[in-house]
Amino acid sequence: MMTTHNGSHGFYNFIFHSFFKHLDAEKAHHLGALVIRITGLPGIRHVKHAFTRPAPELHVQALGLNFDSPFGMAAGFDKDVNMVSGLYALGFGHVEVGTLTAHAQPGNPKPRLFRLIPDRALINRMGFNNHGAAAAVPRLNKLRKLKHRPVIGVNIGKSRIVDVENAIDDYLTSTRLLAPLADYLVVNVSSPNTPGLRGLQEISSLSPLLTAVKEASGNTPLLVKIAPDLSSEEIREIAQLVTTLKLDGIIATNTTISRSGLLTPREKVDAIGAGGLSGAPLHDRSLEVLKELRDVVPAEMCVISVGGIETAQQIQERLDAGATLVQGYSGFIYNGPAWALSINRRLRKMRKEQL
């Protein structure tokens, strides 16, 4: 549950259970996105951010960048770079946009986003629906000119229409367009919703892909995002590869294809079908993967931990386990727009108590 049970959280809880949970999950997301975009309008953004600005003691230096808070929004929430200013106004220290692909694509057929409310989880099989890398360029250009904005990560993936054997050229198209406009770039090889994509995590495929993208990305910090379903040996191999290639970091983890230990009735989960599971059930596995990575990668390498985050205590636990930064997504659906503000305030309070 939330770290604080203030009025805004109680009000959102009421709205969620009275209204949002009865709406199709993707429609509810679009409705929420509209509110976030309005929050990001210039006049509103400045007023709101004055109220939500994270305390200076929460600032983190990583990837050669200054993050206002260790807590950011994970990829998948703002696929087309429409909500960055709004999410900044709500208190997120960074926003990872995307996943963006070289070719615009509609994604998988609807419905493709589902809530597992008893588990505080989501299942999605969106399929990298986005308007394409080129369409994101003017929006990123505009954001970069703002005096006040969060750190912007750009997450890129393989276009569905491109065969796996041609994946490198496809990633390079996106890299050349987006790396110059990204504060950091992420190679996503771990979504379960694009056929063949996860196979790119195999070292024989991953090594040439990351080598090519690193060369094309110039001075932009480069990270790779991995799945929680990898074995310890696979995690170790990827960590060693990333270290050898001198990439800047690893994001762990994406959604899982596992369905174990859920409270939602099995028949309901089976009826939903394929997709990546995110939210609270990922907490333990995501933490495990973080610890396994930290055993291998150099201390100075950036590791961004994501999966099952809802509270400030959980964020501090990840930071204590070696995470440089932490991201959330599903928790926003269950905690509402005051989530980041609440977490930042609680993190600050916890640090003051430790002094």
Side-chain angles (χ1 to χ4, degrees):
M1 290 297 291
M2 257 303 245
T3 53
T4 59
H5 291 275
N6 55 27
S8 62
H9 178 247
F11 177 69
Y12 178 78
N13 212 23
F14 170 75
I15 294 286
F16 178 83
H17 286 283
S18 308
F19 178 60
F20 277 130
K21 81 171 190 181
H22 304 293
L23 266 187
D24 168 78
E26 192 170 344
K27 280 184 183 159
H29 178 78
H30 288 309
L31 200 59
L34 181 63
V35 174
I36 294 166
R37 287 173 76 169
I38 291 166
T39 305
L41 293 172
I44 302 170
R45 180 178 74 236
H46 294 312
V47 172
K48 186 78 176 159
H49 193 253
F51 177 68
T52 62
R53 185 184 293 118
E57 55 264 42
L58 294 184
H59 287 200
V60 176
Q61 291 285 333
L63 302 170
L65 303 161
N66 182 39
F67 294 76
D68 286 351
S69 161
F71 185 52
M73 176 57 81
F77 193 88
D78 184 7
K79 291 178 182 293
D80 274 312
V81 200
N82 291 313
M83 293 183 263
V84 173
S85 289
L87 290 168
Y88 174 68
L90 293 176
F92 288 92
H94 70 280
V95 178
E96 192 172 308
V97 298
T99 298
L100 289 158
T101 54
H103 297 272
Q105 51 189 42
N108 291 320
K110 296 176 184 178
R112 55 195 181 179
L113 181 62
F114 308 88
R115 301 182 206 90
L116 273 55
I117 293 173
D119 294 289
R120 299 182 77 78
L122 303 171
I123 290 174
N124 94 81
R125 51 169 174 271
M126 304 299 287
F128 291 169
N129 54 307
N130 74 107
H131 290 106
V137 167
R139 286 192 284 279
L140 285 166
N141 259 320
K142 195 174 173 185
L143 285 164
R144 284 186 74 83
K145 290 172 185 160
L146 293 176
K147 189 178 176 187
H148 300 291
R149 64 171 179 84
V151 169
I152 302 168
V154 178
N155 184 301
I156 58 171
K158 184 186 81 67
S159 305
R160 194 183 186 94
I161 61 168
V162 172
D163 293 334
V164 173
E165 51 268 29
N166 299 321
I168 292 178
D169 285 342
D170 187 63
Y171 276 95
L172 288 179
T173 300
S174 296
T175 301
R176 291 182 187 118
L177 282 165
L178 300 170
L181 301 172
D183 290 320
Y184 69 85
L185 189 72
V186 184
V187 175
N188 185 349
V189 285
S190 48
S191 166
N193 301 316
T194 296
L197 186 81
R198 281 187 162 200
L200 293 173
Q201 291 176 114
E202 291 169 18
I203 297 298
S204 59
S205 301
L206 190 60
S207 181
L209 171 62
L210 293 180
T211 302
V213 173
K214 182 173 168 57
E215 193 177 317
S217 59
N219 296 323
T220 304
L222 181 64
L223 299 89
V224 62
K225 186 167 184 175
I226 63 170
D229 308 310
L230 298 168
S231 67
S232 293
E233 186 185 349
E234 288 168 326
I235 291 165
R236 188 167 289 273
E237 283 181 346
I238 291 173
Q240 286 167 342
L241 173 68
V242 168
T243 305
T244 304
L245 294 178
K246 295 187 165 59
L247 261 63
D248 299 277
I250 300 176
I251 301 182
T253 61
N254 212 315
T255 58
T256 180
I257 52 173
S258 167
R259 298 290 187 265
S260 62
L262 296 177
L263 300 171
T264 302
R266 167 57 62 181
E267 59 274 16
K268 184 176 178 183
V269 176
D270 289 347
I272 288 169
L277 176 77
S278 62
L282 234 74
H283 174 274
D284 293 353
R285 179 58 186 156
S286 182
L287 181 58
E288 272 173 29
V289 175
L290 167 64
K291 289 174 178 175
E292 289 185 18
L293 286 171
R294 266 291 165 229
D295 284 344
V296 182
V297 300
E300 65 273 13
M301 183 177 282
C302 177
V303 179
I304 302 179
S305 187
V306 53
I309 293 293
E310 280 207 53
T311 69
Q313 286 90 338
Q314 289 169 339
I315 291 171
Q316 194 57 54
E317 180 184 32
R318 300 292 170 100
L319 297 171
D320 292 343
T324 318
L325 300 159
V326 181
Q327 294 176 341
Y329 173 161
S330 304
F332 191 98
I333 310 304
Y334 292 102
N335 292 294
W339 186 39
L341 169 66
S342 170
I343 277 177
N344 288 330
R345 287 187 171 173
R346 181 70 186 137
L347 276 175
R348 184 189 187 196
K349 190 170 180 223
M350 284 162 64
R351 290 186 186 185
K352 280 189 166 177
E353 286 165 359
Q354 286 170 350
L355 293 175

